[in-house]
Amino acid sequence: MFQEVAMVVTVATCERGRAALAGCSGVRAVPLEEAAPAHAEVLWRRAGTTGPEIAAALSRARAARWVHTDTAGVDDLPLPELAARRVVLTKTSAYTDAVAEWIVTAVLVAAKGTPAYADASRDGRWEPGVGAPRLVSGTCALIVGDGAISQAAASVLTAMGATVTPVGSRSPSGWDALLPGTDWLVLACPLTERTHHLISAAVLGALPVGAWLVNAARGEVVDERALATALDSGHLGGAVLDTFSVEPLPADSPLWGRPNVVVTPHDAWRASGAGRRQVADFLDQLHRYRTGRPLHRTVDTAAGY
């Protein structure tokens, strides 16, 4: 992908990134926020750096050849400019296991009726069977998205005895036909024009009564008004949601305060050691870049994932 690069590579990144690169041979770390990135070949976007900040830095870094992001999603990055300038975009692998485990946990929370038991426990109620628990074994999970996170979650759910069907985020032919037999509709796909409000009233209505929605993708993949309506009707068993169209989730959102909805604050990625994994992943990629080897987890900037 790349020819051997100069001995010293200039990387523009935030203060945390520069601290992580301190002492790295052959690397000159410069501030992302200043004019210094003009000659930077590499932009390292750490968690907390916004898409507009990367866009501004990219407009100054005319020598940029590669952008690496510590985020799982890339929808807020300047993808058209990256594509037009043929700047390579890669993303971290630091969250794969954490998000896959969150998905499996979400399915178990739904299957075992954990919210109802938690409510009873807080109220001091001894109420056997209140959560109407059931086995995951023998159920069917439809996972929208076929990347590393989906594959990892599918492996565990399959080992638990569930039938798991992953589908690509481009909604291949026949996707709708799978919905009536789906117990757990799991979202682990990128946000693109194709997937915006992919989970519509029609999709939710095609699920069987009692099915659950698990969203580890982006909030905008779900039509939240349609979701609230499906929950109000009693058609859905419930939802475990990590992302939302507006974050933090507004206090007046109809998704708050429901006994069958579990909200986590965009935390599916969070697990001890995440920062170390981000740094290790970038350093491995940087070594590949400096030695002319192909980079891992490149993003199709035209497609958006």
Side-chain angles (χ1 to χ4, degrees), residues 6 64 266:
H266 206 142

Side-chain angles (χ1 to χ4, degrees), residues 148-194:
I149 290 171
S150 301
Q151 293 168 18
S155 176
V156 177
L157 291 172
T158 299
M160 295 174 65
T163 298
V164 182
T165 304
V167 297
S169 56
R170 295 192 180 192
S171 301
S173 176
W175 185 81
D176 291 350
L178 301 172
L179 293 170
T182 295
D183 297 290
W184 325 109
L185 178 56
V186 178
L187 310 180
C189 58
L191 175 62
T192 66
E193 290 183 2
R194 288 178 178 269

Side-chain angles (χ1 to χ4, degrees), residues 284-298:
D284 175 69
Q285 293 272 51
L286 185 59
H287 177 69
R288 299 180 71 85
Y289 175 84
R290 297 186 70 245
T291 55
R293 299 164 63 196
L295 299 178
H296 293 309
R297 294 173 301 284
T298 56

Side-chain angles (χ1 to χ4, degrees), residues 97-115 136 153 156-157 160 184 186 212 214 216 239-241 262 264 268:
D97 290 342
V99 178
E101 288 180 4
W102 183 93
I103 289 171
V104 174
T105 300
V107 170
L108 286 169
V109 162
K112 301 307 176 186
T114 303
V136 172
V156 177
L157 291 172
M160 295 174 65
W184 325 109
V186 178
W212 280 66
V214 173
V240 185
L241 310 170
V262 177
T264 59

